[in-house]
Structure formats: C-alpha cells, structure tokens
Amino acid sequence: ILSLDKVVKRYPMGQTEVLALKGVSLTVEPGELLAFAGPSGSGKTTLLNIVGCLDQASEGEVILDGQRVNGLSAADLGRLRAEKVGFVFQSFNLIPVLSALENVELALRLGGQPPDRARAEQALVDVGLADQLHRRPNQLSGGQQQRVAIARALVKAPKLVIADEPTANLDSVNGAAVLDLMRKLNEERGATFLFSTHDNLVLSRVNRIVRLRDGEIVADERVSR
Amino acid sequence: ILSLDKVVKRYPMGQTEVLALKGVSLTVEPGELLAFAGPSGSGKTTLLNIVGCLDQASEGEVILDGQRVNGLSAADLGRLRAEKVGFVFQSFNLIPVLSALENVELALRLGGQPPDRARAEQALVDVGLADQLHRRPNQLSGGQQQRVAIARALVKAPKLVIADEPTANLDSVNGAAVLDLMRKLNEERGATFLFSTHDNLVLSRVNRIVRLRDGEIVADERVSR
Ligand SMILES: Nc1ncnc2c1ncn2[C@@H]1O[C@H](COP(=O)(O)OP(=O)(O)OP(=O)(O)O)[C@@H](O)[C@H]1O
Ligand SMILES: Nc1ncnc2c1ncn2[C@@H]1O[C@H](COP(=O)(O)OP(=O)(O)OP(=O)(O)O)[C@@H](O)[C@H]1O
Ligand SMILES: [Mg+2]
Ligand SMILES: [Mg+2]
C-alpha cells in the first residue's frame, strides 16, 4: 500500500536549511499496524505528513496505493488524501465553529461520501463521546478533542489511517479503548494503520515498530502478537 | 501557598450547563511536587486554569500565596499570574510570529522582570533546544514546541509552576530531562509544582498524587521518595 524510496525532506531556514529526513526507504503491506518511534525532533511528523499527502518530499519517491505521489499538484494531493487517507494530526486541527458531530460529518462530505449523521454519531459513540456530540472544540477537554479527531479520521473507513501521537492526551483507559477500535477496523476491514508515538501502550499493540533518529531509520522490528 | 475551599465550576451549554468541578477542597504547602491524575474529561485542566488565575471559579474560595483570587478583576488576575505563576498550557500557546528565544524573553518582560537574553537562552539550553533558538513555533516539532513552553514558564523562576500534561509530546529521554529540571528548581529554590498528567513517569517523580473523577477529588496520596 505504501513504498518510499530514499525520501529526503529539507526545510528552508534563513541562509541554510534543516535536513529533517535524510533518505528514508520503507515498504508497508496492506493491513499492517506500524508505529514510528523516536526522540522528539527525529522526523516522525515530517514523515507522516509526506505519506499522508499533506506535504511534499524534497527528493525521493513516494508511491501510495499504486499511485506516485511526489510531483502531484496540491489539488490532486488533496483529492487523493480526502479519498484514501484518514489523518489524525498531532495538534487535532478541529474546525472551531463546528460541533464535534459537524466536524465528523464534514470528513465524510470532503471524502466524497454522502453526509450520514447516524454514521458520524456512531463514530463519536465508539470513542466514548456520546454525551458531547453538540459541543464545539473549545468546550471539550484536550483528550476529548483528540478523540473527536480520531473519530473524524475513522468515520470514512479509509484504507489507510495515519495517526500522529493518537494517545498523547489520553489516560490509559481511553487510550486502550481507542487502540481496540483501531485494531477492530484493522481486522474487520483490513485497514492499514501508521502511528507515531512515545507511548509504550501503543508500541505493545502494533505488529511492526520502525525507529527514527535524526531523520534516519535506525531499526525496523516485526513483532508477533 | 494554595488553599481551595468547595470550588465549583460550571460551563454554560445552551439551556443547561456542564458541572466540570463539583466542590473541590485542597491545601498545598510551599515546595510540594503535586500531580493531578484522572481520566480524560475529569476536570484537571479546569482546576489548573482556576488555580493559575486563567479562569474564575463559579463558587468557592481560592487563596493563592495569601491573596484571595475569586472576585478579582481580569486585570488584577493577569498581574497576579504574570508575577507569581509560570504556566505550561496543554496546547502550548506559543506566539507564532516570535522565535523560541523571543517567546521566552517575552515571559520575563510580562512578569515585570528586565528582558535578559542570556537567561532566556539558558532556559532553552536547559530543555535541550540550544540549536533551535531562532526558530518560530511552526518550524519546530510538537515536542520541541512543548519544551519552549516549559522554558517560558521556568525562566521567571516563579514560586508556583503549573504544567498541564508537560510530557504529553515527549519521548522518555526528553521527558525525564524536563522532570529533572523541575525537581532541581524545586530543591534549589523551593518552587511549588502542580502538574496534570496521564504519564506514569511523572507520577513516579512527584511527592503527592491527587486523583480526580467527574469533577471530584477521589484520592489524595502522599508518596515518600
Ligand atoms: N468551555 C467549556 N464548555 C463546556 N464544557 C467544558 C468546557 N471546557 C471543559 N468542559 C468540560 O468540562 C469537563 C472537564 O474538562 P477538563 O478540560 O478540565 O478535563 P481534563 O481532566 O483536563 O481532561 P483531558 O485529560 O482530556 O485533558 C469535560 O467534561 C469537558 O467536556
Ligand atoms: N517548518 C520547519 N522548518 C524548519 N525545521 C522544521 C520544520 N518542521 C520541523 N522541523 C524540524 O525537523 C525535525 C523533525 O521534526 P518532526 O516534527 O518531524 O519531529 P517529530 O519526530 O515529530 O518530533 P515530536 O516527537 O517532538 O513531535 C525537527 O528537528 C524540527 O525542528
Ligand atoms: Mg511530531
Ligand atoms: Mg486537560
């Protein structure tokens, strides 16, 4: 479902530049549950943004579900992302003027699917927010906002879900419930999950761990459960 | 340094209201390292915002460093906060157009202290960001932004530091380094620390754990280290 070949990412910084990814090559099979681990600043978010069609690589090849991604226009990248990828941002990125339910419904509409209130409601119930459907993001706690962002990514039943620190603001009970939900989607629909995380709970529930350090892959462990 | 008596917090929600805190009473001695734990949505951020003079309680008494806080004007609350409290927000709240160094320098100026570039620089070096001084928040990773927010709270050497999930976006190495820094300030200057957290690393490093559930204190354990 995903193939990366010598992916490099440079950020302009005044006269010089920051080399966030130094040549990352990786192949992911459909249905994998894969976590990227590594210190703060090691390149996890940068890599997930490129794989999730949110940002372009500076060099190298990115192939998503058989389609070459590097070099696409911003409009094509956006269409590909809305149809094929469910994304949970590290900073949630919820729309402030919309309620939790409206935020989730919007994801269905942007993904080219008919808005379906019952389906959006069920996605929020699945993450434990049945009582907070009509709240706006600033009326929710940090962990509740994160769970809205997760429901929004999962409601489209995408083939590929990318989640950047999905349990960072959750207690272990809510964290485990979210991971159970993701494993269920993985087993029932064969969805592929790519996480970034510092959380040992997440690392104990995936079947592959790729470790990054200073923009390079330093380990790649398959784990049997 | 802090005394809460039957603190209640209600949020207006259409026709009804949400009862986020249902009557919380608590006394904190100077120099304590105290963590609030509890499920997502249990009231941790609401409590820290009231203690940190960012929000007003609906009922009850809040006394900070001998001064009654409830009923103060927004201007007086702001002055009290800038002088006495260092605050690390769950969502960082960095100023996007300022660099990491400028964000930290601003905290000194707002706290009524002379801007001191060397002191601001040292605070960023202490959290491992010596190479990122001149970056703006959108040029930093999630964990790096969180460490700027921590440096900004600590640079004023406040009597009371309030940190809402200070290690949520950090790997264990950076997390431990931040906690070591806070313990050092606690032991050398007698600063009081109030955290909220889901992180067992933090819970293993404090000397008191107060557990919240649905807006009430359900446990209060002193732990000797
Ligand atoms: N502005 C608001 N309007 C209505 N309800 C609110 C508002 N802010 C918070 N709440 C509610 O108050 C309760 C407590 O929220 P709080 O942010 O204190 O939780 P928390 O313990 O910090 O959770 P987390 O671990 O998810 O950050 C939650 O149920 C939340 O939905
Ligand atoms: N827009 C940018 N401009 C310059 N440098 C950047 C930019 N965005 C990220 N970086 C740098 O690229 C490196 C990788 O950042 P990235 O956000 O991918 O890290 P991360 O592994 O997700 O870290 P964390 O665990 O803290 O979220 C960091 O050193 C960061 O400072
Ligand atoms: Mg990141
Ligand atoms: Mg909170």
Side-chain angles (χ1 to χ4, degrees), chain A residues 12-14 18 38-42 45 90 134-135 139 141-144 147 165 167-172 174 198, chain B residues 12-14 18 38-42 45 90 134-135 139 141-144 147 165 167-172 174 198:
Chain A
M13 258 314 280
V18 173
S40 168
S42 56
T45 295
Q90 190 166 0
H134 304 294
R135 299 226 193 136
Q139 299 176 314
S141 77
Q144 290 167 337
R147 283 183 281 157
E165 317 259 8
T167 61
N169 291 287
L170 299 181
D171 56 282
S172 52
N174 277 302
H198 298 303
Chain B
M13 258 314 281
V18 173
S40 169
S42 55
T45 294
Q90 189 166 0
H134 304 293
R135 297 225 195 138
Q139 299 176 315
S141 79
Q144 290 168 337
R147 283 182 281 155
E165 317 258 9
T167 61
N169 291 288
L170 299 181
D171 55 281
S172 51
N174 278 303
H198 299 302

Side-chain angles (χ1 to χ4, degrees), chain B residues 1-221:
Chain B
I1 187 165
L2 176 71
S3 155
L4 303 177
D5 184 41
K6 301 194 185 65
V7 169
V8 170
K9 178 69 182 173
R10 298 191 190 84
Y11 291 109
M13 258 314 281
Q15 304 303 330
T16 63
E17 62 187 13
V18 173
L19 199 59
L21 295 175
K22 298 176 178 162
V24 170
S25 300
L26 185 73
T27 305
V28 180
E29 303 303 323
E32 288 204 80
L33 271 177
L34 185 155
F36 292 102
S40 169
S42 55
K44 299 182 297 297
T45 294
T46 303
L47 186 59
L48 289 184
N49 286 348
I50 290 169
V51 171
C53 308
L54 284 164
D55 200 359
Q56 288 272 15
S58 308
E59 272 176 42
E61 190 120 301
V62 178
I63 299 177
L64 182 66
D65 206 18
Q67 190 167 346
R68 234 179 98 86
V69 160
N70 34 320
L72 281 186
S73 72
D76 285 343
L77 270 183
R79 223 187 322 284
L80 195 66
R81 190 175 68 241
E83 277 161 26
K84 290 198 191 297
V85 181
F87 204 96
V88 182
F89 298 86
Q90 189 166 0
S91 54
F92 314 149
N93 280 5
L94 299 175
I95 297 175
V97 293
L98 298 183
S99 72
L101 188 58
E102 290 163 344
N103 263 287
V104 176
E105 283 180 322
L106 185 66
L108 278 173
R109 206 172 301 151
L110 290 180
Q113 302 182 32
D116 177 343
R117 175 155 288 225
R119 218 171 132 194
E121 222 172 283
Q122 185 58 43
L124 286 164
V125 168
D126 288 347
V127 293
L129 293 176
D131 300 337
Q132 283 90 12
L133 298 178
H134 304 293
R135 297 225 195 138
R136 287 193 306 284
N138 71 349
Q139 299 176 315
L140 294 170
S141 79
Q144 290 168 337
Q145 289 179 43
Q146 186 160 49
R147 283 182 281 155
V148 174
I150 290 166
R152 183 179 61 173
L154 300 182
V155 72
K156 296 188 293 193
K159 278 187 160 161
L160 176 64
V161 176
I162 297 174
D164 199 348
E165 317 258 9
T167 61
N169 291 288
L170 299 181
D171 55 281
S172 51
V173 170
N174 278 303
V178 159
L179 289 173
D180 284 346
L181 187 65
M182 291 177 163
R183 277 195 81 104
K184 208 177 94 196
L185 288 174
N186 170 260
E187 282 153 11
E188 285 175 6
R189 297 195 199 127
T192 309
F193 283 85
L194 298 180
F195 302 114
S196 87
T197 191
H198 299 302
D199 185 348
N200 288 329
L201 178 73
V202 175
L203 294 179
S204 70
R205 302 267 187 128
V206 294
N207 50 32
R208 188 174 169 193
I209 299 174
V210 171
R211 294 191 190 273
L212 286 173
R213 190 172 295 283
D214 285 335
E216 293 179 290
I217 291 179
V218 294
D220 187 343
E221 313 152 30

